Amino acid sequence: MAVELKKGQKVNLQKKGASLGEVLINLNWSQPKKRGLFFNRTQAIDLDLGCLFELEGGYKGCVQALGNAFGSLQQPPFIALDGDDRSGANAAGENLRINGDQIALIKRVLVYTFIYEGVANWQQADGVVTVKCPGSEDVIVRMDEYGSKLGMCAIALLENQNNETFSVQKVVQFFQSHPDMDRAFNWGLNWKPGRK
């Protein structure tokens, strides 16, 4: 069973047992079909999954492949990125994991993706984020607003609910850059160019 969110809709993840357990956030997307001799490698899209986080006490940062900020499950920020799928060909996509046993230390998490390489054709990419949590129905967020030519998309906002669970809200809002998205959600980080 799964719940597919509409824009602005919010649901709470359910706990199974005493703790929330590991929350898995998966991004999958499609690549353009190869058509004859005229297929251009530059048509391929490299989407990167990442998140902004804010911990209790005010510590803020990001987890993403760009800048090799892969995070950690066992120490702050208690969020980790599995790896970097540069092609979209990996059936497992890209995954962020949140250590739900440390939920009391995590205030909010903004899940986003950005086009590291390729043209901003979101319809062609057909991105889908799935949030999985033990004891909860999967929460599906489709990146289904296709008109934007901007290369960055804030997908979903997870917020701590009484140190017991996270609410998940579909955002799907597009931005020119990390700093633009940061300002829209009042994160207040200092950004500089990065590489991977």
Side-chain angles (χ1 to χ4, degrees):
M1 290 291 292
V3 176
E4 185 169 333
L5 297 184
K6 296 180 174 63
K7 187 164 182 173
Q9 187 180 2
K10 186 186 293 188
V11 296
N12 285 348
L13 299 177
Q14 301 300 311
K15 280 201 311 183
K16 183 180 182 182
S19 75
L20 190 60
E22 183 180 276
V23 179
L24 174 70
I25 301 166
N26 171 263
L27 169 66
N28 247 308
W29 73 95
S30 303
Q31 284 295 351
K33 303 282 189 289
K34 294 184 180 182
R35 293 202 175 104
L37 299 173
F38 300 105
F39 176 75
N40 184 346
R41 280 286 309 151
T42 63
Q43 292 174 302
I45 299 169
D46 176 11
L47 284 184
D48 274 5
L49 179 65
C51 72
L52 300 181
F53 63 81
E54 181 178 359
L55 303 185
E56 289 299 332
Y59 176 54
K60 299 175 184 178
C62 74
V63 174
Q64 62 180 22
L66 189 62
N68 293 313
F70 285 93
S72 171
L73 278 179
Q74 306 310 322
Q75 56 193 17
F78 309 109
I79 304 166
L81 180 67
D82 282 0
D84 181 19
D85 176 13
R86 296 199 174 196
S87 66
N90 182 352
E94 292 194 3
N95 296 291
L96 278 168
R97 299 176 190 275
I98 301 175
N99 184 345
D101 293 340
Q102 303 294 334
I103 188 169
L105 301 176
I106 304 169
K107 186 173 180 180
R108 61 180 179 151
V109 179
L110 179 68
V111 178
Y112 60 80
T113 187
F114 60 96
I115 298 175
Y116 183 72
E117 286 183 342
V119 178
N121 186 336
W122 295 102
Q123 184 167 9
Q124 194 173 59
D126 195 24
V128 178
V129 165
T130 305
V131 181
K132 298 173 179 280
C133 179
S136 258
E137 293 181 312
D138 289 357
V139 179
I140 295 172
V141 179
R142 294 189 187 279
M143 297 171 60
D144 51 8
E145 294 183 27
Y146 299 131
S148 180
K149 298 298 182 194
L150 301 177
M152 177 148 228
C153 181
I155 304 168
L157 180 64
L158 283 71
E159 293 181 293
N160 185 313
Q161 302 295 308
N162 300 316
N163 294 336
E164 292 187 356
T165 189
F166 287 111
S167 63
V168 182
Q169 180 179 6
K170 178 174 179 176
V171 177
V172 186
Q173 190 174 342
F174 296 90
F175 299 94
Q176 183 74 41
S177 65
H178 286 74
D180 290 344
M181 180 180 69
D182 180 303
R183 282 190 293 274
F185 290 90
N186 299 310
W187 234 270
L189 297 177
N190 293 316
W191 294 93
K192 62 182 181 181
R195 297 184 64 180
K196 63 176 182 176

